[in-house]
Amino acid sequence: MNADLAVRPDILTVLQDLGHRSTVPRRAIVQLLEGMHEGFTAEEIGKELPEVGRATIFRTLKLLVEAGVVCRLSLLDGAPRYSLSPIEDHHHTVCVKCGTIGEFRASEFERVMKGIDRDIVGDVASRCIELFVTCGECAKSGDG
């Protein structure tokens, strides 16, 4: 993650503030996620936490996305991949080779959105930019 992005909020506190219980499986998932520095899938969580049921993992990820502390990205093949979210608006790069997720802020996009917002009837509820790239590591290794 870029150093200039805001510090992530305490995930369990966010869930509790929204009225969700702090169960043992949720705490295990959150503890695992807080140590992750790259994108992840529900399947990867399941491999790391075999004692936590698949349905619990998906329900918890859904809660975390709804709470705004996790971003859900759709890869080119349609498979979901997740990343922890900073507080402020940000966008993503997704490596088409290894699946690494990066984050960036784009002031140019924010300026364009202000112009688009004026032309849209109603309020923009959400927006997302995902750039599919070959990351630096894959490019260096010749996989790109």
Side-chain angles (χ1 to χ4, degrees):
M1 180 173 121
N2 293 343
D4 62 336
L5 291 176
V7 176
R8 292 183 174 100
D10 179 271
I11 297 171
L12 278 178
T13 300
V14 170
L15 288 178
Q16 290 169 340
D17 288 349
L18 292 172
H20 300 291
R21 293 182 303 133
S22 176
T23 63
V24 172
R26 274 191 195 144
R27 287 193 303 270
I29 292 168
V30 167
Q31 183 177 12
L32 176 68
L33 297 185
E34 286 177 334
M36 292 186 161
H37 300 289
E38 296 185 6
F40 52 89
T41 65
E43 290 74 21
E44 291 168 346
I45 294 171
K47 286 179 186 173
E48 291 291 322
L49 301 171
E51 70 279 7
V52 177
R54 179 179 161 91
T56 300
I57 292 169
F58 279 99
R59 278 193 307 270
T60 301
L61 285 172
K62 184 177 184 223
L63 288 175
L64 295 173
V65 169
E66 290 170 354
V69 294
V70 168
C71 296
R72 183 183 190 276
L73 307 159
S74 294
L75 300 184
L76 291 175
D77 64 3
R81 193 159 181 87
Y82 302 87
S83 72
L84 292 175
S85 175
I87 295 169
E88 60 207 31
D89 286 337
H90 68 286
H91 310 287
H92 299 98
T93 58
V94 181
C95 180
V96 296
K97 301 294 181 180
C98 69
T100 295
I101 296 173
E103 297 174 343
F104 68 96
R105 293 190 327 202
S107 56
E108 296 83 10
F109 176 71
E110 298 307 320
R111 283 193 294 276
V112 169
M113 278 307 301
K114 286 179 184 175
I116 291 172
D117 285 346
R118 288 190 294 265
D119 294 334
I120 295 174
V121 177
D123 295 326
V124 175
S126 178
R127 59 183 187 225
C128 177
I129 293 180
E130 295 170 10
L131 299 178
F132 295 92
V133 302
T134 301
C135 73
E137 290 300 315
C138 288
K140 277 193 259 180
S141 69
D143 289 339

